[in-house]
Amino acid sequence: LVASIIGADGLSLDAAGEADPEATSLEFLLGSGGSPIGSLTVATTGPAVPLRLVAADPRGDVDVTFGWDVDPQIIAPKDVAIPCP
């Protein structure tokens, strides 16, 4: 999933440090071609879902926080040119 988001061939994922049994998350360092390109923070309690992704390369940068406990409030558009089937 992370490789498809970043679009990096040969993506590596290594723990940023020792795991703390009391911590609710763990940070991984993302690398490509032997160079660090960012970090991925993953939950260590419950499902191992991504919590934050920070990455950068010559094309740009990204800093995304995932809110798995939030119910998204998506409002349907009012001015739809073509209605959904």
Side-chain angles (χ1 to χ4, degrees):
L1 173 64
V2 176
S4 67
I5 292 171
I6 298 174
D9 293 330
L11 183 70
S12 64
L13 188 66
D14 300 305
E18 294 293 321
D20 178 1
E22 302 294 321
T24 58
S25 64
L26 180 62
E27 183 179 16
F28 291 91
L29 298 177
L30 300 170
S32 179
S35 299
I37 59 171
S39 66
L40 175 67
T41 305
V42 178
T44 57
T45 57
V49 294
L51 300 175
R52 185 173 183 203
L53 172 64
V54 179
D57 70 6
R59 296 174 292 181
D61 55 71
V62 63
D63 186 343
V64 179
T65 301
F66 300 90
W68 299 104
D69 58 345
V70 177
D71 183 21
Q73 300 296 319
I74 301 172
I75 300 170
K78 293 183 170 76
D79 299 325
V80 179
I82 301 172
C84 297

